[in-house]
Amino acid sequence: MDARSRILSRIQRALKDRPKALLPEHPHPPFPEDPIPLLLARLAENGAEPHLLSPEGAQALLRELAQGLPGVAFGQGVPTPFREGLNPLPPEEAPLGVSWALFAVAETGTLALSSADGRRAQLLPPTHLVLVERERVYPTLLQAFQDLKELPIALGLHSGPSKSADIGQVMVKGVHGPGRLIVAVLT
Amino acid sequence: MRAKAKLYPKEAARLLREKPGVREAVTGATLHFDRNRLKAYAEVPIAEWRERAKAIKDHALSHLDQYLELAEKRLKENGVQVHYAEEPKDAHRLLREIVERRGVKRAVKAKSMLTEELGVNPLLASLGVEVYETDLGEYLIQLLGEPPSHIVGPAIHLSLKEIQTLFHERFGTPLDASPEALAQVARKVLREAFLTAELGISGANFLVAETGTLALMENEGNIRLSTSLPKVHVAFVGIEKLLPRFQDLALFLPLTARAATGQRLSTFVSLIQGPARKGEEGPEEVHVVLVDHGRTALLADPEAWETLRCLRCGACLNACPVYRQTGGHPYGYVYSGPIGAVLDPGLLSLEEAYPLPYASTLCGACLEACPVKIPIPKLLLTWRHRAVAEGLSPAWERAMLAAYRRVMESPALYRLFSKALRGLPLPQDLLPLLRAWTEGRGPLKPSPKPFHQLWREMEEGHGR
C-alpha cells in the first residue's frame, strides 16, 4: 500500500462510528442599495487611496501619478486609452503598476485581481493603481464568490498596501508588495 | 522541529529569569492582538459565524476521506501534482527529487507552521539550497536561528532594540535605525531572493475540495510573491485544512482574519488553482503535498479530534495569561499556547508532550477567543486525566494525592489531621507553597474550632 491508501484507510477507520455532521448553508444577507460609499470608506480605512472617477478622470489621475516617472507596468486587462502616451516598463523596473480588477468587495474594502491580468505588475512596483468598474463592486465577499463563474489560475484579493508590524510592533508599509495602493472606481 | 515539550516548566522559568524582556514584548503584542480581535468580533454576528464555522469544519472532518479524494481530483484537473506524506521523510524525499531535477540553488519560503513540523529548512540546507524565509518576522528569527514564538507573529518576543542590534551586526545599519529603514533593508535582500529563487514553498490556510483551491492569507505580499515568481511552487497542506465549497471561504477568510489580527480581511489573500496557463505569468509546476504527520491518529481519538478544527489563527495564544508570560519557546514544539497544549499531545503523543496540558490556568479565555469553538479547557482536562491514568504525573504528586484521598475518605483520619493542623505551629517560612501565599498577606491562622464543632454550636444556638 502507498501513503495515499494508508492515509485514506486510517481516516475511514477513524470515522467508522463517528456521526456525520451536516453541512450548513450560508445565509443570504440583504443587498445594500449602493455598495460604492462603503467600498470607498473601507478602502480608506485599509490604508488605500480610493477615488470615484469617470474613465477620463481616472486617465488624468494616472497621468498625474506617472509624471516624472520613467514608465509604467500595465496589467493585461488595462484598456488602451489608459496606456496612451505612457512608456511601458517591465514590472521589476517600473515605479508604478496599473491593474484592471475583476471585481471589488465593499464590506472588506477589497480588490480581486486575476492572474490573467499579470501578477508581477500587481506586486513588484512600489505603487499600485487599480481600476475597477462600478458595476463590478459587490457588497459582500459571499455575493462576489457566488457570482464567480470561472476561477483564474490565481485570484489575488488586495485590501490595502503591503504592511507588517513584525519589527517591534510598529506598522510599516511597503514591506514586499506595494506600499501605496491607489484605487479608481470607474463610473 | 524536535519536540522539547518535556522541559516546559524548566524552560519557562529559565526564560523568565534570563530574558525578562520577552514577557514585556509578548504581553504587549498579545494584548494588542486580543483587543483588536474583540473589536473585530463585536462588529459581526460572531456567535452565528463561530457556530457555522464549527459546523462546516465538523462536516468536513466527518467526511474527510471523501473531501480529500475530491480535492485530489480537482487539483489534478487543474494541473497540480498531488502527493501524500505520512511522515516528514516523505516530504523530504519529494523535495530532494525537485531540488535535483530542477537544479534548485535558492528557495523562498512563505511562513508555514507545517514546514516547521516537517523540518523543511534543515533538509534544504543539507541539500545545499539557500533558503530565505520571506515573512518579515520569520526572516528575523531565521537570522537569529530561533524557532517561531507565535503561530501568527513568529517574532513577537523580540523588542525593536534587539532587531536594531541584529540588523546592525548583519547589515551594518545604524543602531537607532527606524522600523521603516530596517524593513527596507529586508525588502531589498528578499526582493533579490524572490527574483532569483527556483523554488517557492508555502503552507495553506485552506484547501477547497470543490475547486481544488489553495487559500493563503497574509499582510506583506511575500506569499503572493513566493507563489508567483519561482518556476516551481510546493505547498504543504495538513489534511485537516479541507473546506467543502469555494463559498465557504467567504466565511473562513474574514473569520480567521478577525480572530488572528482583528482585520476584516488579511491585506493579501491568494486563491491558487494551479500552474500558469500558456502565456500567463506564474509557476510552471505546482505541487500540493497532503500531510498526515499524526493527524489521522488525532482524528481517531474519540475526544481530542475536535482539535483538528483549528484554523491556526493564534487567538487563544493572545488570550492566554500563561502564554503571555513567556511566549512560545518554552512549550518546546511548533504549536504553543492553549492550542499547543492540546494539539501537541495529539500530534506527538502524550508522553512526548507531557507537561503541556498543565500549562494553563483553565480560565477559559481560549475557548471564548476560538473562532471554531474548540473546547480547549475541556481537552486540557481530558489530557490531564489521561496523564494521571498513564502514570505520567510525577511520583510526589501521586503520593500527595493518594495521601490526601486517604485522609479525606476516613472521618477518623480527617479529625486527627485537622486537630494536628490546629495544634501544631505551621512551618510557614519553610514550605514554598505557603510562603508564596503569605507574601503580601498575613500569616495563615487555623481556626481555633473545627467546622464540625462550629456547625453543631450554630444549630444548638438556634434551638433546632
Side-chain angles (χ1 to χ4, degrees), chain B residues 319-340:
Chain B
C320 179
V322 175
Y323 174 86
R324 260 181 218 151
Q325 303 308 307
T326 58
H329 287 162
Y331 290 80
Y333 192 56
V334 183
Y335 308 103
S336 57
I339 191 65

Side-chain angles (χ1 to χ4, degrees), chain B residues 121-141:
Chain B
N121 288 8
L123 182 269
L124 287 174
S126 78
L127 296 175
V129 176
E130 209 180 352
V131 188
Y132 287 84
E133 287 290 350
T134 59
D135 170 85
L136 195 47
E138 196 75 33
Y139 181 58
L140 298 175
I141 58 168

Side-chain angles (χ1 to χ4, degrees), chain A residues 2-4 6-8 10-12 14-15 18-27 42 45-46 76 91-92 107-108 110 113 115-116 118-126 141-142 145-146 148 150-179, chain B residues 29 52 55-56 58-59 61-65 68-69 72 84-86 134-137 140 156 160 163 179-180 182-184 187 190-191 194-195 211 213 219-220 222 224-225 227-229 244-251 263-275 277 280-283 292 296 299-301 305:
Chain A
D2 58 358
R4 177 186 185 276
R6 279 194 299 268
I7 290 174
L8 282 170
R10 279 203 297 273
I11 294 172
Q12 280 151 6
L15 297 176
R18 183 96 23 102
K20 299 279 176 217
L22 291 174
L23 182 61
E25 283 302 311
H26 291 287
R42 289 284 154 93
E45 284 170 35
N46 291 346
Q76 298 280 325
E92 295 85 331
E107 66 169 348
T108 49
T110 300
L113 301 164
S115 52
R119 286 182 254 185
R120 297 162 90 92
Q122 302 164 3
L123 294 165
L124 293 173
L141 202 54
L142 182 64
F145 283 175
Q146 284 170 339
L148 208 54
E150 201 187 341
L151 277 165
I153 284 304
L155 184 66
L157 307 179
H158 291 214
S159 309
S162 156
K163 56 176 178 283
S164 170
D166 282 341
I167 297 181
Q169 301 304 308
V170 182
M171 192 58 84
V172 173
K173 281 186 186 176
V175 186
H176 296 292
Chain B
R52 187 150 44 95
I56 293 171
D58 283 354
H59 170 84
L61 288 170
S62 69
H63 298 78
L64 191 57
D65 48 341
L68 209 50
E69 285 182 299
E72 181 187 331
Y84 286 82
E86 294 181 278
T134 59
D135 170 85
L136 195 47
L140 298 175
I156 60 160
L160 175 56
I163 299 165
E180 283 82 7
L182 299 175
Q184 282 311 308
R187 176 185 167 104
L190 294 170
R191 176 60 63 99
F194 283 127
L195 292 169
T211 49
T213 300
N219 285 319
E220 296 178 6
N222 64 304
R224 289 217 70 207
L225 286 163
T227 57
S228 296
L229 296 182
R245 306 162 293 197
F246 188 80
Q247 55 168 272
D248 294 326
L249 290 171
L251 170 65
Q263 290 168 281
R264 294 187 179 107
L265 199 61
S266 310
T267 303
F268 297 101
V269 176
S270 300
L271 303 173
I272 298 170
Q273 269 62 239
R277 295 199 183 104
E280 211 178 79
E281 290 174 6
D292 182 342
T296 49
L299 186 67
D301 188 308
W305 69 270

Side-chain angles (χ1 to χ4, degrees), chain B residues 106-348:
Chain B
R106 188 173 278 186
V108 281
K109 266 191 77 214
K111 193 183 98 61
S112 138
M113 300 306 274
L114 180 53
T115 60
E116 296 283 331
E117 271 186 58
L118 300 173
V120 163
N121 288 8
L123 182 269
L124 287 174
S126 78
L127 296 175
V129 176
E130 209 180 352
V131 188
Y132 287 84
E133 287 290 350
T134 59
D135 170 85
L136 195 47
E138 196 75 33
Y139 181 58
L140 298 175
I141 58 168
Q142 187 186 29
L143 290 176
L144 287 168
E146 291 183 1
S149 170
H150 185 285
I151 294 173
V152 172
I156 60 160
H157 60 295
L158 299 177
S159 67
L160 175 56
K161 187 138 199 59
E162 287 171 284
I163 299 165
Q164 285 166 329
T165 310
L166 170 70
F167 273 55
H168 173 72
E169 286 163 5
R170 286 301 178 101
F171 305 111
T173 49
L175 273 168
D176 60 349
S178 67
E180 283 82 7
L182 299 175
Q184 282 311 308
V185 171
R187 176 185 167 104
K188 218 172 146 226
V189 174
L190 294 170
R191 176 60 63 99
E192 174 67 22
F194 283 127
L195 292 169
T196 51
E198 297 91 359
L199 173 62
I201 295 174
S202 77
N205 290 91
F206 304 103
L207 170 59
V208 179
E210 177 186 45
T211 49
T213 300
L214 285 168
L216 293 136
M217 306 167 58
E218 50 149 349
N219 285 319
E220 296 178 6
N222 64 304
I223 297 187
R224 289 217 70 207
L225 286 163
S226 301
T227 57
S228 296
L229 296 182
K231 291 289 173 224
V232 183
H233 170 206
V234 179
F236 291 97
V237 187
I239 53 171
E240 81 284 14
K241 299 274 179 175
L242 278 162
L243 288 180
R245 306 162 293 197
F246 188 80
Q247 55 168 272
D248 294 326
L249 290 171
L251 170 65
F252 281 92
L253 296 172
L255 177 63
T256 310
R258 282 175 191 269
T261 52
Q263 290 168 281
R264 294 187 179 107
L265 199 61
S266 310
T267 303
F268 297 101
V269 176
S270 300
L271 303 173
I272 298 170
Q273 269 62 239
R277 295 199 183 104
K278 243 190 162 58
E280 211 178 79
E281 290 174 6
E284 295 165 2
E285 276 180 42
V286 176
H287 299 260
V288 167
V289 188
L290 299 161
V291 180
D292 182 342
H293 202 216
R295 283 154 179 81
T296 49
L298 191 50
L299 186 67
D301 188 308
E303 287 148 315
W305 69 270
E306 284 192 84
T307 323
L308 289 172
R309 282 206 296 270
C310 179
L311 308 178
R312 310 285 192 268
C313 67
C316 61
L317 278 60
N318 302 328
C320 179
V322 175
Y323 174 86
R324 260 181 218 151
Q325 303 308 307
T326 58
H329 287 162
Y331 290 80
Y333 192 56
V334 183
Y335 308 103
S336 57
I339 191 65
V342 295
L343 186 58
D344 299 348
L347 292 180
L348 294 168

Side-chain angles (χ1 to χ4, degrees), chain B residues 85-101:
Chain B
E86 294 181 278
E87 293 300 331
K89 65 171 170 30
D90 303 327
H92 293 184
R93 197 184 321 115
L94 171 80
L95 277 174
R96 192 175 303 122
E97 187 271 315
I98 291 173
V99 165
E100 281 164 11
R101 182 167 47 83

Side-chain angles (χ1 to χ4, degrees), chain B residues 8 341 354-361 380 383-385 387-388 393 397:
Chain B
Y8 175 73
Y354 162 64
L356 294 187
Y358 291 85
S360 164
T361 63
L380 287 164
W383 286 115
R384 289 185 194 185
H385 284 308
V388 172
S393 50
E397 187 187 290

